[in-house]
Amino acid sequence: MTSTSTGRLLLIPYDIISWLSERLSSSSLNENKVYQMGYACGKSFRTLLIAIGMSSSPSDLEQRYSMVGINNSIEGSKNLLIAIRSELNWIFGPEGLSHMVQSVQNLVVRYKEWWFRLLTNDPTHVLVETCLLLFLVYMILGRRKSDWREKMKEKLTEEEREELLRDWKESFRAPLAPSIDGTSQHGRSFKASDAESAKTRRKIGTGIVVEKVLGSKLVIRDGNNDNENKQNEDKNDNFETDNVISNKDTTTETNKKTPKQSNESDKKKPSNSTTSSPATKTVLNFATHDFIGASSTTNTSSSSNPNNTSTNSPEYSTSTNVIKEASRQALDEYGCGSCGPRGFYGTIDAHLDLEDDFANFFHTEGAILYSDGSAAVSSTIAAFAKRGDLLLVDEGVCEAIGTGVTLSRANVKYFKHNDMEDLRRVLERVRATDQTLNRRSNDQRRFIVVEGLYKNHGTICPLDKLMALKEEFCYRLIIDESHSFGALGAHGRGALEHYNKHAMMDAEIVILGLENALGSIGGITVGNNEVVDHQRLSGAGYCFSASNPPFLARAASASLKRMIDQPIHLTTLRNNVTYFYTQLQQKMSSTTIKSKSQTSCTLSEKLLITSMKNLSPIVFIKLVQEEPMKETKTSTTTTKGKNGSKGKNSSHNSNSKKSTILNLTAKQSAEQIREDQIQFLDKVAESCLQKGLAIISTGGHIHHHLTKIPSPALRLTVMSQQSQEDLDTAIQILIDVLREAFME
């Protein structure tokens, strides 16, 4: 045999594959492509080995194997094993081992000859290769193996670890809710002015923790009490430590005491076993955007709603048990997380089912699911608008739209909030610029960006007038229905349905949030297939964020089905909204207050409802500013003189009167006026909470992504879960608190 031992060893798998392929190809399975591929692979492998010279003759092994009858004998399998064994015996026998040793020696000699030849022809290459070989030898043999043992010696002992954990728990662990009463998380107190504490409160929150949502009620807990309890526990722990140290020195004296004296001394010691659990409080919920009660459990009250339908009746059931059951089943089936973005391995059938449900509900070709509502808004806008495109944006849009507009890097022009005349002015200005530059309207992508129901204003976009301008000037429409979905329209489809418009026909891109009406987490964009498919590769929130947990998708699907199957929630919401606006306006008009100057006026003269009456479930109440206030803003505008110093135009100061209901003078800046308004409304909201009503005092908006900062206001949200008794109680508490606040 002239083939080397290595080649003989490599030919054994080929013989097995070839023999199996021949046997299978001659059977009834000869049309199966799997076996045909196996036969072809074996044949190709044999050809390759022959081509590189591992066998001197193509028929060498065939002739030898045919002697034992591999190809023709019925006992082919047994003979094949005999042949393999003979090959192994030859390879590992004296002759085979000698061939292997000779092959290794020849390899070394050939490498030596090649190296010297290369040194003569290309010494630089030899130098680089020699350095690499030396480095490889050093990495394998030269590095110390005890480095990891030395690092292990530097690890903390069990006692040191326990001491650090104990120190962290006692001194540096942050509370569940940040403190706003002048105490830091480390127990150090500080003094701050009312303005500073108000700013701090808006930055870190009120400290209120929502424990549970029960129908129209909230079970809340003051997180600041946790800080006080923690400080008391620290004092008790310090007291115990001092006692332990002192007891070491006074053990003899304590033992000399009589039992009676010991009992009396024990009574004087403070007990640290009196740690009380944080107290909870139940208040009326007018703070969240749970319009149709999808995220709350069934109300336990026996009151009725305005249409005399009991909140506990089967037809008015919140069906949260159905939503929770769908979530539990999804948790059992899929687990908690999806473990990846949608484009990789984070897409589960629960996500696809939810997209199909929304596409069917809105009668569109498709829908795409994002893991967060704000990310859906910002990612969708940035996916379609790029550098060089044009966006016409309403001044009153929320922070999520502002973020998307910033990320798009497009050319942006703003128009006044819900002012269609100003929008026409902007559109005509763009058209005039096109004519000047000889530019066609389709040379760039152009969008109008609005909200269906404005989150920061409670107003509704006049889509009937907007659609006329959109068609006249050939623009596309991006509309955010996150807060109008489930609140407007006969079937809850939002502002488009309210104006008898349709997604994909009147609005090219429609964005929805799952956090409000559906009580879940995530966002949806609906439209045609082109709109949906484009975002699967261009939507940043879709491509780079982990997908929604499957149980949240199932919860959203169940909540959407509940809204479709039980339209009574939408009807009750509309009735509650109409009733609330009517009663609130009557109470404000009939309530008389007297200030310190003994001047009488009604609350309707001091407060103004700025949201869309009888339609918007988000109610905004703002402070009324008198006419001198407008002149004050102009007169307090800072100007820069020639000498670089700042001065104020005080031409109107001599005729200035009390400019606001807070008796602010004309010399105060607009920032100070706003800050005083925020403090006043914050106190109103806190007083309402103490009396059992949870509302929101706005003013702490994120200024970075807002073009126009909304005025401070009180925000109340009307929901279908609220009964007529709840609405009356909320209005009465609000009116009483406002009367007291204005009379101070």
Side-chain angles (χ1 to χ4, degrees):
M1 302 295 291
T2 58
S3 62
T4 63
S5 58
T6 305
R8 300 173 72 90
L9 183 61
L10 292 174
L11 280 175
I12 293 175
Y14 156 72
D15 293 310
I16 299 175
I17 296 174
S18 299
W19 181 80
L20 290 176
S21 300
E22 291 176 0
R23 287 292 178 269
L24 292 172
S25 62
S26 61
S27 64
S28 59
L29 300 175
N30 56 353
E31 295 181 359
N32 194 320
K33 291 187 178 181
V34 176
Y35 303 117
Q36 294 178 5
M37 290 175 62
Y39 182 80
C41 289
K43 188 174 182 180
S44 300
F45 188 42
R46 176 177 179 272
T47 304
L48 177 63
L49 293 176
I50 294 172
I52 63 178
M54 288 189 175
S55 179
S56 60
S57 173
S59 61
D60 182 17
L61 291 177
E62 292 181 0
Q63 293 176 0
R64 199 158 63 81
Y65 285 161
S66 63
M67 295 173 61
V68 293
I70 288 181
N71 295 324
N72 301 318
S73 175
I74 300 177
E75 304 260 342
S77 58
K78 184 184 298 184
N79 296 332
L80 177 63
L81 295 177
I82 296 174
I84 293 174
R85 186 173 62 181
S86 64
E87 288 292 328
L88 293 176
N89 291 335
W90 184 90
I91 290 173
F92 294 103
E95 185 180 356
L97 292 176
S98 63
H99 276 281
M100 293 179 64
V101 172
Q102 185 178 1
S103 299
V104 173
Q105 292 176 352
N106 293 336
L107 180 63
V108 174
V109 173
R110 290 179 181 178
Y111 179 77
K112 181 180 178 181
E113 294 175 355
W114 171 83
W115 192 84
F116 279 108
R117 185 170 57 255
L118 187 63
L119 179 62
T120 305
N121 299 332
D122 192 357
T124 305
H125 180 84
V126 174
L127 178 63
V128 173
E129 183 176 351
T130 304
C131 294
L132 291 176
L133 288 174
L134 293 176
F135 178 74
L136 181 62
V137 172
Y138 167 75
M139 292 295 294
I140 296 175
L141 304 176
R143 298 191 64 183
R144 296 179 58 187
K145 300 296 183 181
S146 59
D147 294 345
W148 65 274
R149 295 186 179 89
E150 294 178 357
K151 293 181 180 179
M152 289 291 293
K153 294 179 181 178
E154 299 176 0
K155 287 191 174 181
L156 296 175
T157 62
E158 198 67 31
E159 293 78 9
E160 292 173 336
R161 193 180 298 111
E162 291 295 334
E163 183 180 356
L164 288 176
L165 288 174
R166 190 185 313 110
D167 186 53
W168 171 72
K169 290 179 180 179
E170 294 177 354
S171 304
F172 300 101
R173 182 171 55 178
L176 179 61
S179 175
I180 60 172
D181 57 354
T183 304
S184 67
Q185 66 177 12
H186 301 295
R188 295 187 295 271
S189 61
F190 60 89
K191 293 183 179 180
S193 62
D194 293 339
E196 291 177 351
S197 63
K199 292 180 180 179
T200 303
R201 180 182 296 107
R202 289 193 297 276
K203 288 181 179 179
I204 64 177
T206 60
I208 301 300
V209 179
V210 178
E211 294 283 346
K212 188 181 294 185
V213 181
L214 295 173
S216 60
K217 307 293 194 303
L218 285 178
V219 180
I220 64 173
R221 173 169 56 85
D222 190 356
N224 299 312
N225 293 335
D226 297 346
N227 302 332
E228 297 176 0
N229 295 335
K230 181 178 179 298
Q231 294 174 13
N232 293 333
E233 292 176 3
D234 293 341
K235 291 179 181 179
N236 293 335
D237 292 340
N238 294 334
F239 183 84
E240 280 187 351
T241 305
D242 296 338
N243 283 342
V244 171
I245 296 174
S246 61
N247 285 340
K248 292 181 180 180
D249 299 331
T250 59
T251 303
T252 306
E253 297 179 1
T254 305
N255 292 335
K256 292 181 180 179
K257 289 182 179 180
T258 62
K260 183 176 181 180
Q261 291 174 341
S262 299
N263 293 335
E264 291 177 356
S265 62
D266 292 340
K267 291 179 181 179
K268 296 179 181 179
K269 292 182 181 180
S271 173
N272 78 338
S273 62
T274 59
T275 303
S276 58
S277 60
T280 59
K281 181 179 180 181
T282 302
V283 297
L284 284 173
N285 180 18
F286 279 76
T288 65
H289 291 157
D290 188 15
F291 300 127
I292 55 178
S295 61
S296 61
T297 56
T298 306
N299 196 349
T300 56
S301 63
S302 59
S303 56
S304 59
N305 50 47
N307 59 1
N308 297 324
T309 305
S310 174
T311 57
N312 292 323
S313 62
E315 62 178 344
Y316 190 75
S317 171
T318 59
S319 298
T320 51
N321 294 332
V322 177
I323 299 175
K324 288 183 178 180
E325 184 61 28
S327 302
R328 290 193 188 98
Q329 292 178 2
L331 281 171
D332 294 338
E333 182 177 357
Y334 305 106
C336 182
S338 53
C339 303
R342 289 289 307 275
F344 292 90
Y345 43 84
T347 296
I348 301 175
D349 56 354
H351 303 138
L352 302 177
D353 293 342
L354 181 60
E355 292 175 349
D356 292 339
D357 292 341
F358 269 90
N360 295 331
F361 182 68
F362 278 90
H363 307 295
T364 58
E365 294 179 359
I368 181 171
L369 172 65
Y370 288 85
S371 57
D372 181 75
S374 298
V377 177
S378 58
S379 298
T380 300
I381 296 175
F384 289 96
K386 304 295 182 183
R387 190 188 299 273
D389 297 335
L390 178 62
L391 296 176
L392 302 188
V393 186
D394 191 293
E395 282 183 344
V397 295
C398 62
E399 297 84 353
I401 294 181
T403 303
V405 169
T406 303
L407 293 176
S408 68
R409 299 183 180 182
N411 301 320
V412 184
K413 296 183 181 296
Y414 292 92
F415 59 92
K416 295 180 181 179
H417 177 54
N418 271 356
D419 191 341
M420 295 298 103
E421 294 298 326
D422 188 63
L423 175 59
R424 174 176 285 279
R425 179 185 60 81
V426 175
L427 290 169
E428 290 176 349
R429 183 184 301 176
V430 173
R431 175 179 287 180
T433 304
D434 291 341
Q435 295 175 355
T436 303
L437 300 177
N438 195 19
R439 180 178 59 189
R440 296 176 300 178
S441 60
N442 59 355
D443 286 345
Q444 60 179 180
R445 289 184 291 266
R446 297 179 175 181
F447 300 91
I448 300 176
V449 184
V450 296
E451 289 184 70
L453 174 59
Y454 287 89
K455 168 189 172 184
N456 295 331
H457 300 273
T459 54
I460 301 174
C461 179
L463 290 177
D464 51 350
K465 300 178 181 179
L466 180 65
M467 291 297 176
L469 293 175
K470 167 183 172 293
E471 298 297 333
E472 179 182 351
F473 291 88
C474 299
Y475 278 68
R476 298 182 178 94
L477 177 62
I478 300 177
I479 181 170
D480 180 14
E481 296 267 28
S482 296
H483 293 81
S484 56
F485 176 71
L488 299 177
H491 302 90
R493 293 188 177 94
L496 285 172
E497 187 181 41
H498 175 73
Y499 284 100
N500 197 23
K501 306 297 181 181
H502 304 280
M504 198 174 68
M505 297 175 58
D506 301 294
E508 286 75 12
I509 303 173
V510 180
I511 311 169
L512 311 161
L514 307 181
E515 291 94 347
N516 302 316
L518 297 186
S520 184
I521 297 176
I524 290 279
T525 300
V526 297
N528 57 25
N529 290 329
E530 183 181 2
V531 169
V532 172
D533 294 340
H534 176 72
Q535 295 179 74
R536 298 197 188 277
L537 294 178
S538 301
Y542 183 91
C543 296
F544 304 109
S545 296
S547 61
N548 235 8
F551 77 92
L552 291 177
R554 290 298 189 204
S557 295
S559 184
L560 178 63
K561 186 176 184 302
R562 165 183 175 268
M563 186 177 73
I564 298 173
D565 296 341
Q566 299 181 16
I568 188 173
H569 298 289
L570 300 173
T571 303
T572 304
L573 175 63
R574 287 191 288 269
N575 294 337
N576 283 354
V577 169
T578 303
Y579 180 84
F580 185 81
Y581 276 107
T582 303
Q583 295 300 314
L584 179 61
Q585 190 64 50
Q586 291 179 359
K587 286 286 186 179
M588 291 174 57
S589 301
S590 60
T591 301
T592 304
I593 58 174
K594 289 185 179 180
S595 61
K596 293 182 179 179
S597 59
Q598 301 299 322
T599 57
S600 300
C601 62
T602 61
L603 279 179
S604 58
E605 298 177 26
K606 300 293 184 181
L607 298 169
L608 180 64
I609 302 175
T610 59
S611 53
M612 186 71 71
K613 296 181 180 179
N614 300 330
L615 287 176
S616 172
I618 307 177
V619 183
F620 279 86
I621 304 175
K622 297 184 179 181
L623 297 169
V624 174
Q625 296 178 350
E626 299 177 1
E627 287 300 324
M629 182 62 197
K630 296 181 180 179
E631 299 176 359
T632 301
K633 285 184 178 181
T634 305
S635 63
T636 58
T637 303
T638 59
T639 58
K640 204 168 187 179
K642 295 180 181 180
N643 57 358
S645 61
K646 290 184 179 180
K648 294 185 178 181
N649 182 8
S650 57
S651 60
H652 185 72
N653 288 352
S654 58
N655 298 327
S656 174
K657 297 182 180 180
K658 296 178 181 180
S659 57
T660 66
I661 56 175
L662 301 176
N663 300 324
L664 300 173
T665 62
K667 294 182 180 180
Q668 291 176 296
S669 64
E671 292 79 8
Q672 185 61 41
I673 293 174
R674 177 182 176 85
E675 189 61 37
D676 291 341
Q677 289 180 347
I678 293 174
Q679 291 186 34
F680 176 81
L681 297 177
D682 284 349
K683 292 179 180 178
V684 172
E686 291 174 3
S687 300
C688 288
L689 186 63
Q690 294 175 0
K691 294 187 176 183
L693 174 63
I695 62 175
I696 302 297
S697 172
T698 66
H701 296 89
I702 301 175
H703 296 187
H704 182 61
H705 294 295
L706 290 178
T707 303
K708 183 177 181 181
I709 310 301
S711 302
L714 294 175
R715 191 191 76 198
L716 299 88
T717 304
V718 182
M719 296 175 285
S720 63
Q721 291 294 97
Q722 297 160 349
S723 64
Q724 180 175 327
E725 181 182 355
D726 295 333
L727 299 175
D728 292 336
T729 302
I731 293 174
Q732 190 60 48
I733 292 175
L734 179 62
I735 295 298
D736 293 342
V737 171
L738 288 171
R739 185 193 297 114
E740 295 174 1
F742 281 114
M743 295 180 66
E744 290 181 356

